[in-house]
Amino acid sequence: MLARLTFYQPDRPARQFLLDESTSYVIGRDPDCEIQCEESGLSRRHARLQFTNGAWRLADLCSKNGTLVAGRPVSQVVLAEPQWVEFGDVLACFDCVSEQLIAEDRERLNRRWQTSIELSRALTPSLSHPDLLERVLRSFVNVSGTERGFVMLHQGDGRFRVYASLPQNAGRFDGSRGIVHRCFEQQRALACSDIPGNPELISRPSIAAAGVAAIACVPLQVGERMLGVIYVDSRARGKQFTSLDMEILEALASHAALVIAVARVREDIVDLSAMLPGELRPGHAPDPELVRRLQDVLPPIDTALLPASIAAAGADR
């Protein structure tokens, strides 16, 4: 009998493991465990899950923080479907699955990958900046299956500005600023699929009032340069972001970030071209602001190779 175990970890996408009845699964922090989870609340070898005598059986392996099923501590129990299991402070859901359900999930995932590829092709630097960001966000909301989203670009002073939102009347950002800042600072995608069970998030009045059930935040990053983040959330009960979902969203965000960066460079070049003729007149002192903008747009160069007046202007930044 095929089964599935789904882990819900704070700030991370849900992790799904398909279970085969011919395998015995040890769950814990140890790298040798068949199902490894690095949360500190788990013991190195926390519990064992295996199919015997026609049923899936879960046994606690004398773990420090215990194993709970439906909120009750257990040493050994037969799992019926579905069941909520707590390994220490890590929440998981056990359920039985069919070959048909697995095939449908794979087909759904393939369709989402294809949709992501098609949407990526529609993102081009030739679009105006507002149109580009709106199209990026529409693509993201479409692929993520969420109802609301924001493109937030970093302003260089620790703050973020909303450049696009869906629905368009979403107004100012009232989602989780903590997740936005962690996503940006840690340069990694974050996902929360159990908001009602997350004390930190559910305590935010805006999130509680909106009935948000799941959040995903993905960085807009080109190389080491962070441009901002894309934030989406959903009120749909049971909505979750799996690790495969996040792979698709990260691929789309990576392409979007590159297109946004190229579009920015194009706009900067157009702006700078209007300033260059005056700067090229012999004997004309370089404009420090022009030098600053060139240094922002162009790759770093050795100032020793520059004329002294230009190098001095750059040093005044």
Side-chain angles (χ1 to χ4, degrees):
M1 178 187 298
L2 289 175
R4 176 174 57 192
L5 190 64
T6 305
F7 280 83
Y8 298 93
Q9 296 172 253
D11 291 353
R12 295 184 183 275
R15 298 171 62 205
Q16 293 185 338
F17 297 90
L18 284 178
L19 310 174
D20 185 271
E21 61 186 41
S22 63
T23 303
S24 176
Y25 297 89
V26 174
I27 302 159
R29 289 187 293 108
D30 195 303
D32 292 332
C33 289
E34 284 74 19
I35 297 179
Q36 185 197 22
C37 183
E38 297 181 354
E39 291 294 329
S40 59
L42 268 74
S43 298
R44 292 183 63 81
R45 294 172 62 85
H46 195 102
R48 176 179 286 109
L49 183 60
Q50 60 184 350
F51 189 82
T52 58
N53 299 324
W56 284 97
R57 300 174 186 273
L58 177 67
D60 184 81
L61 300 178
C62 299
S63 63
K64 178 180 178 180
N65 294 319
T67 301
L68 285 72
V69 175
R72 297 181 178 180
V74 298
S75 57
Q76 185 167 329
V77 67
V78 173
L79 293 179
E81 61 168 322
Q83 288 279 12
W84 287 101
V85 183
E86 296 174 66
F87 300 99
D89 56 1
V90 178
L91 182 65
C93 180
F94 171 90
D95 63 337
C96 295
V97 294
S98 64
E99 292 283 0
Q100 180 180 351
L101 180 60
I102 295 173
E104 290 173 353
D105 283 347
R106 287 173 179 166
E107 177 60 26
R108 191 179 304 112
L109 181 64
N110 288 336
R111 287 199 302 268
R112 294 180 70 184
W113 269 114
Q114 188 59 41
T115 299
S116 173
I117 293 171
E118 292 171 357
L119 292 172
S120 293
R121 290 172 178 166
L123 302 177
T124 64
S126 60
L127 295 168
S128 68
H129 201 246
D131 289 343
L132 173 60
L133 295 180
E134 181 178 342
R135 185 171 294 188
V136 165
L137 185 55
R138 287 190 181 279
S139 301
F140 218 78
V141 168
N142 185 318
V143 171
S144 66
T146 53
E147 303 92 51
R148 188 174 72 154
F150 300 86
V151 174
M152 307 175 69
L153 301 185
H154 194 249
Q155 301 303 291
D157 57 0
R159 295 181 300 170
F160 293 86
R161 177 183 168 189
V162 174
Y163 278 81
S165 63
L166 285 176
Q168 292 182 333
N169 61 354
R172 68 179 184 85
F173 178 73
D174 60 355
S176 173
R177 295 187 180 276
I179 285 183
V180 168
H181 284 279
R182 282 200 295 274
C183 173
F184 188 85
E185 293 167 1
Q186 298 175 13
Q187 300 185 17
R188 68 179 180 92
L190 301 176
C192 295
S193 300
D194 181 34
I195 302 301
N198 189 314
E200 176 186 354
L201 293 176
I202 201 61
S203 63
R204 285 188 55 86
S206 59
I207 291 179
V212 172
I215 293 172
C217 193
V218 181
L220 287 167
Q221 183 174 6
V222 179
E224 296 299 318
R225 184 183 179 189
M226 291 287 292
L227 305 179
V229 303
I230 301 179
Y231 173 103
V232 292
D233 61 27
S234 174
R235 292 176 295 176
R237 182 173 298 179
K239 174 66 178 177
Q240 62 177 312
F241 296 101
T242 68
S243 55
L244 292 176
D245 291 330
M246 297 306 292
E247 284 183 25
I248 296 175
L249 295 180
E250 287 180 83
L252 180 58
S254 178
H255 176 79
L258 182 60
V259 174
I260 291 170
V262 171
R264 277 184 163 184
V265 170
R266 285 180 55 144
E267 290 182 356
D268 285 338
I269 290 175
V270 170
D271 291 343
L272 290 171
S273 66
M275 302 170 64
L276 284 175
E279 297 299 322
L280 294 176
R281 292 197 300 271
H284 192 285
D287 182 349
E289 175 62 16
L290 173 62
V291 174
R292 183 191 69 77
R293 295 183 66 184
L294 283 170
Q295 289 178 328
D296 286 340
V297 174
L298 300 177
I301 58 176
D302 187 350
T303 55
L305 302 177
L306 295 174
S309 60
I310 295 180
D316 291 337
R317 292 180 60 188

